[in-house]
Each structure stands twice: as C-alpha cells, then as structure tokens.
Amino acid sequence: MQTTAAILRTTGAPRPYADSRPLSIETVTLDDPGPGEVRVGIKAAGLCHSDLSVINGDRPRPLPMALGHEAAGVVEALGPGVTDLQVGDHVVMVFMPSCGHCDPCAGGRPALCEPGAAANGKGELLGGGRRLSDDGEALNHHLGCSAFAAHAVVSRRSLVKIDADLPFEHAALFGCAVLTGVGAVVNTARVQAGQSVAVVGLGGVGLSSVLGALAAGASPVVAVDLSPEKLALARSLGPVLTVNASDPDAVEQVRALTGGGADFVFEMAGSVRALEAAWKMTRRGGTTVTAGLPPPEAALAVNVVSLVAEERTLKGSYIGTCVPSRDVPRYVALFREGRLPVDRLLTGVIALEDINEAFDRLADGQAVRTVVRF
C-alpha cells in the first residue's frame, strides 16, 4: 500500500528547519506485515529529542530513514502468527522490541534486548529487513517504529494494547516520555516515599520523572532547567521546588534544598555538563541516574575516590528499565486515577506538514511534547 511519511535523507541541516526542511513529507510504499508483524494506522506521534538528535546528526542512524518512535494507533492488519491482537485494537508503540529469548529478556530486562538493539541500529524490524521503500529504494525504520507516518508495519513485540477510550494524543506519550521518565524513578532507582529527588532537564522525559517522583511520594522534589516556563510547569504539577540551571550557584541551591544533596538525582538533558552538575547535586551514599543521550563520543570524568569513599552510585536507565507489557498499563492506571497527569506535558498538536517548524520549537526549548495528529 501507499502511505505518507516524514523522511530524513541527510543530517545536519542548518537551522531554522522551517527553511531547510530536513524532513520531507513523501508518499512511500509500505509492505504487508510479515510473520509476527502488525500494520498500525498511526493516530498520534510525539516529537522527542531522540528524533531531533538524528536530524542534527548527534545520533548517527542509517539513512534514508522514516523518523518517529513515540506513537499510538489502531491495528489494521495482522501478519502470520499474530494471535493476541485483533484488527481495531488500540496500541502504543515501544521503541525497543524485545525478542523474549536473549539473556536480558530471559532475565526480565527486555529494555536491553540484544536482537532488538541490533535491529534498531541497522534500521530494520526485529524480524529482519525493511518494510518501507521509495521507487524500489529501501527506507530505514527509526527504532522499529517509523511513526511519523499515516501507517506503519512494526513487530508485534513493539506494541502494547491499551484501552480504546484513552485519547491518542495522550496515549502516544506513554511509549517514550512516560516509560523513560517515570520508569527511571520507579524501576531504575526504586525511589521510596520520603526520599529526596532532583531532576535536571525538564523536557518530556524529565517532567515525567518529576511526575514519577511525586507519585512515589518523594520529598522534597527539586526540578532544574534553564527555561522559566518549564520551571513554572514543574511547580504546577505538585509540591515541586525549582532552581534555574543558569544560576551560578545552582548546584549549591539544590544541595541546600535537599539538606546536603538529593538521595537521587536524574539527569534528563542529554548533556555531559548537566550530568556533571547532577553528580555534584547527589548526596553521600546517593544515586545519580542518567537517561539523557548525548552524542556517542561524549565522556564523563568521575572522581573515583568520591565514588568509593562516599559509596556513590552512577546508573544508566534505558526506557526506564521497563517491562512494557507490565508498565504501560500501570502508568495508564495511575493517569486515570489523577496521580500521573501526563496530559499536562502536551504543549501542542500539529499536522504532519508542520513537523519541521515543530522541531525548531523543540530545539529552542519552547515545547515539552508536541504531537502530530493523524
């Protein structure tokens, strides 16, 4: 079948993207789903810094590529062997498919699936190969999803079924921002009620971490960012203290607000400088967690003496150490109970044709989560 998709053919286009238009809206060919695959009609797809980092060249990916990885939609067709979904089911996409058989999957850590990571790196689906093409030229899949498109064929392992009454523009956020941000708090760090938390970087993932910390009963919760608007949004979510990262004494402010440093500090900005600040904001015996993804060549220098003598912990968190089939329903339930107001992160709804301008706003820090609505 033919479908419309946002295609990235070269990286590093100059800003503003409204003029250089790195993403071209094209009519492309989408193959039928193969064994273990599903065709989904995309209804909403969120713009994430992980997409932006491919556009600007920070995250090398095989090109040309159909971009997008955070989405929700409706099942349109089932490939051979898919028996646990039906046409018409509503689903959320997850950008790391899990094979269920490799050592990480067997050990309960599907976010670290080895075949899934290999397929994502090659721009393929979990079952191998590509299902998108343009005049016979294969188009690479972004993280097994390629969700900036009216339709997508994905592995069944990239989907979680959701309730049909959940608005698509809210449901889409559960596939990346919520899984990553909330999961970093409750799965990776396992924050307990009464422990102190600081979050550095208030994009969709960082603000999801703030929501996760509040839901977990953390106290105090401190949000750190350069944007006064994002700091104000963080304060509106609950009892959240804020620090402007541009203040020369920002680290000292966080340490003072948390009585000598936070028990857990989450770096969500994708910046080595932000991670260095997060490390300094962490108390003795505390844990620094990073889910930010700076360019691959970025490196962090850590004082080994303080790591040992202060019993410090530095942890990475990928997709919030999630088990998608378990965590997406849990987080949706919290949303329905009003304890995880994910809808507050939505800052705009656009048409696919306006996607380049929307990435300008994301790059300028003017948006938390903009969603393409199909």
Side-chain angles (χ1 to χ4, degrees), residues 52-78:
L52 179 61
S53 66
V54 180
I55 294 171
N56 65 23
D58 283 349
R59 302 292 298 175
R61 294 287 179 186
L63 300 178
M65 173 171 279
L67 219 57
H69 68 282
E70 179 186 81
V74 178
V75 172
E76 293 184 339
L78 304 172

Side-chain angles (χ1 to χ4, degrees), residues 162-167 174 331-340:
I162 57 170
D163 295 334
D165 62 343
L166 188 65
F174 285 87
Y331 301 160
V332 169
L334 289 173
F335 169 62
R336 291 186 180 281
E337 293 169 5
R339 298 171 59 193
L340 207 64

Side-chain angles (χ1 to χ4, degrees), residues 232-244:
L233 176 56
R235 289 193 296 271
S236 75
L237 298 175
V240 177
L241 306 173
T242 56
V243 172
N244 195 306

Side-chain angles (χ1 to χ4, degrees), residues 238-305:
V240 177
L241 306 173
T242 56
V243 172
N244 195 306
S246 65
D247 292 347
D249 63 343
V251 170
E252 288 73 20
Q253 288 185 51
V254 173
R255 293 185 66 84
L257 290 170
T258 55
D263 294 311
F264 296 93
V265 182
F266 298 87
E267 185 278 314
M268 301 300 187
S271 156
V272 172
R273 183 176 178 182
L275 183 54
E276 290 172 342
W279 177 259
K280 294 175 183 176
M281 294 172 185
T282 310
R283 71 167 63 249
R284 290 166 57 90
T287 299
T288 309
V289 177
T290 177
L293 287 170
E297 67 275 8
L300 175 70
V302 174
N303 184 298
V304 178
V305 171

Side-chain angles (χ1 to χ4, degrees), residues 71-93:
V74 178
V75 172
E76 293 184 339
L78 304 172
V82 179
T83 59
D84 57 344
L85 288 176
Q86 296 181 355
V87 172
D89 284 346
H90 290 208
V91 290
V92 166
M93 289 185 173

Side-chain angles (χ1 to χ4, degrees), residues 49 201-208 225 230 268 345 367-369:
H49 272 89
L202 300 180
V205 173
L207 283 165
S208 292
D225 199 273
K230 290 180 179 178
M268 301 300 187
L345 308 184
V368 176
R369 265 304 187 268

Side-chain angles (χ1 to χ4, degrees), residues 11-60:
T11 61
R15 297 275 315 281
Y17 297 137
D19 295 333
S20 61
R21 310 200 73 76
L23 290 171
S24 57
I25 311 305
E26 304 180 21
T27 299
V28 299
T29 299
L30 180 66
D31 293 341
D32 291 335
E37 295 174 354
V38 178
R39 189 178 79 229
V40 177
I42 306 297
K43 300 302 181 183
L47 276 63
C48 175
H49 272 89
S50 293
D51 304 304
L52 179 61
S53 66
V54 180
I55 294 171
N56 65 23
D58 283 349
R59 302 292 298 175

